[in-house]
Each structure stands twice: as structure tokens, then as C-alpha cells.
Amino acid sequence: MMDIQVRDVRFDAGKPKICVPIVGTTFDEIIEQAIQAKRVAEVIEWRADYYEDILDDEKLNTTLLALRDEIRNIPLIFNLRMAEAGGKIELSLNQYRHINEFAVSSRAIDLADVEVSIIDQLSTSFIKWMQSLDVRVILSYYNFEETPEDAVILFRLNLTEHCGADIAKIVVQPQNEADVLRQMEIAMKAQTFVSLPIISVSLGRLGKFSQISGSLDGSCMTYGCLAGQSYPDAQIEAEKLAMMINELK
């Protein structure tokens, strides 16, 4: 597996990097969460679909630049997740493309998280354009109903590489403990034939174990929430998560 360098952070199969999502709805909430997040985060993700002014280019630009200034050299992921991928907003394809292009052009973000099915509509040229402006691309596959069969997940991982992604992400819902273990095993197997760094997430109470086990299955990043901000991708508080991961070193 090749590893990706973003600022001072390497996304590789060693100790998983802790990503803290920012889910504020207003400018003030976003900046306040950024202040808290930078105390523990190795990577920060802005879930822009939570932002109430996401359709206002001027306010979006102000927020992006303020966020970049606040977190300094911490890598910033821009994630505009639509409702069908578990997000908080419904957008047309043109709106989705415009907002992502605006964020990339601002030079405030380091990575963009894009749902892999959207690339079928936007084409891989969208990925290449972002990369031409030095933004790394995470292609994500979500399944909030189940953990699919191994062949389905492995196909999705291959697809992300074929599309030209820098990092592949798989987020699935386990039905039992066996699903969690199977997802971890798939992440391990994938490293033998997919050259991309992989982010592997199992959701829900059962999936919490996967959030601390990246050093075992090769997942390059895990998600930890701020106090009082738990949501499906990040259920363990970031400070507690850091302590748990350090115990596994």
C-alpha cells in the first residue's frame, strides 16, 4: 500500500490518524468547534452539509478562510455529504459540483471527500481537476443498511482506485459482531491488491471496536467526536479514542 502525505500527516497503514469532524450549523459554532478540535485532532473534517449558509458563496468563502486560519497546519477535509449518503442536505448535481469547486478553488482545503456514485455522474475529470489544484480526493462508499458481501466491498475498493482516488473509504452498518470482524478482515485483505490507503468504518455500537483497531486492520484514519457531538461516523470522544489507540501501539 502506498501512503499519502498531506501537510505533516502521512496516511498509511500504521497507527490510524484521528480525524475530528466539525458539524456546526453557524459560523460561530464552526469556529468554536475548530478551536476544540485542534487540541486533539491530527486531521479535521468539515461536514459542510451541516452549515446553514452553504449556498451563499461569500459566507462560504469567509468560513473556509477562517477555518483554515484557525486550524493552521492541520489537514482539512471538505465533506459535503448529501442526504442519500447520510448527509443533512439535498442538492442538485450542479449545486454539489459548484460548492465543491468553490471550496477547492479557495485553497483552504487539503482533501475532498466525495461519494463514489456521484463520480458516475460527474466523471473522473472532476477528480483530476481537484488533484490538479493539489487537493487529495477521498472516494467514499456508504451502506447504512448492512455490511455487504466481501466481493461487493472489494469491488467498491477497486472502483475507487480505478477512478483515480487518493484514498478509499468504506462505511458500513454491521448486523452482528461477525460483520465487524469481517469488515476488518476485508480491510486487511485489500492491502494486497489495492494500492490506496483505506479508511474502514463500521457504524453503531457494534462498530466502535473498529474505530480503535486501525493499527490491526490497516485503516489509515479513524473518527473521534467532540464532547457532546457524537454521531454515527464518530461515536467515541476524540480524547478517549487517542488514549485507546495509544494503548494498542
Side-chain angles (χ1 to χ4, degrees):
M1 175 189 295
M2 66 180 181
D3 48 303
I4 300 295
Q5 180 89 23
V6 181
R7 295 185 183 263
D8 295 331
V9 174
R10 286 181 62 194
F11 292 84
D12 54 25
K15 175 185 169 185
K17 307 306 179 290
I18 295 177
C19 177
V20 177
I22 290 174
V23 294
T25 59
T26 67
F27 175 87
D28 289 342
E29 288 177 356
I30 290 164
I31 299 305
E32 176 56 35
Q33 288 182 23
I35 292 170
Q36 296 177 52
K38 69 182 184 181
R39 297 171 186 156
V40 64
E42 295 167 278
V43 182
I44 288 176
E45 177 188 69
W46 182 25
R47 280 289 304 275
D49 48 295
Y50 281 77
Y51 183 35
E52 64 183 12
D53 292 314
I54 191 63
L55 297 176
D56 186 318
D57 285 354
E58 184 176 349
K59 291 182 179 179
L60 175 58
N61 188 60
T62 298
T63 305
L64 281 164
L65 296 179
L67 188 53
R68 175 80 275 157
D69 184 62
E70 185 60 52
I71 68 174
R72 302 289 177 169
N73 201 44
I74 299 173
L76 177 62
I77 301 170
F78 184 81
N79 190 348
L80 181 66
R81 196 185 295 182
M82 293 207 278
E84 58 264 33
K88 298 295 182 180
I89 194 168
E90 294 276 6
L91 295 170
S92 69
L93 189 63
N94 286 337
Q95 287 175 314
Y96 178 86
R97 180 167 195 150
H98 170 75
I99 294 168
N100 274 277
E101 288 178 345
F102 192 91
V104 170
S105 299
S106 75
R107 303 285 184 168
I109 69 171
D110 301 294
L111 305 103
D113 189 320
V114 180
E115 211 278 319
V116 68
S117 67
I118 292 175
I119 297 303
D120 292 338
Q121 304 169 66
L122 294 178
S123 86
T124 57
S125 62
F126 184 59
I127 293 175
K128 293 175 182 177
W129 176 81
M130 289 190 283
Q131 292 168 332
S132 73
L133 293 180
D134 297 323
V135 170
R136 301 285 193 168
V137 178
I138 302 170
L139 274 188
S140 299
Y141 165 70
Y142 302 95
N143 190 317
F144 299 103
E145 301 297 326
E146 61 179 355
T147 300
E149 295 298 318
D150 295 11
V152 173
I153 297 175
L154 293 173
F155 170 78
R156 293 291 181 176
L157 288 171
N158 271 320
L159 180 61
T160 60
E161 184 164 35
H162 176 73
C163 288
D166 296 292
I167 299 173
K169 185 170 82 172
I170 300 289
V171 180
V172 294
Q173 180 67 52
Q175 300 299 320
N176 48 51
E177 292 84 350
D179 278 349
V180 179
L181 295 174
R182 183 164 59 84
Q183 172 69 359
M184 291 174 60
E185 184 178 6
I186 293 169
M188 287 173 28
K189 284 180 180 177
Q191 295 173 55
T192 64
F193 61 87
V194 176
S195 62
L196 306 181
I198 297 169
I199 302 168
S200 176
V201 179
S202 284
L203 299 170
R205 180 185 60 82
L206 293 172
K208 283 186 177 182
F209 181 74
S210 73
Q211 294 181 317
I212 64 172
S213 61
S215 58
L216 300 177
D217 66 14
S219 182
C220 69
M221 195 173 80
T222 188
Y223 294 86
C225 64
L226 296 173
Q229 295 289 343
S230 177
Y231 74 104
D233 295 19
Q235 298 180 87
I236 302 173
E237 288 185 15
E239 291 186 7
K240 294 178 182 177
L241 183 61
M243 289 188 290
M244 293 176 186
I245 290 173
N246 286 333
E247 284 296 315
L248 292 177
K249 286 171 55 179

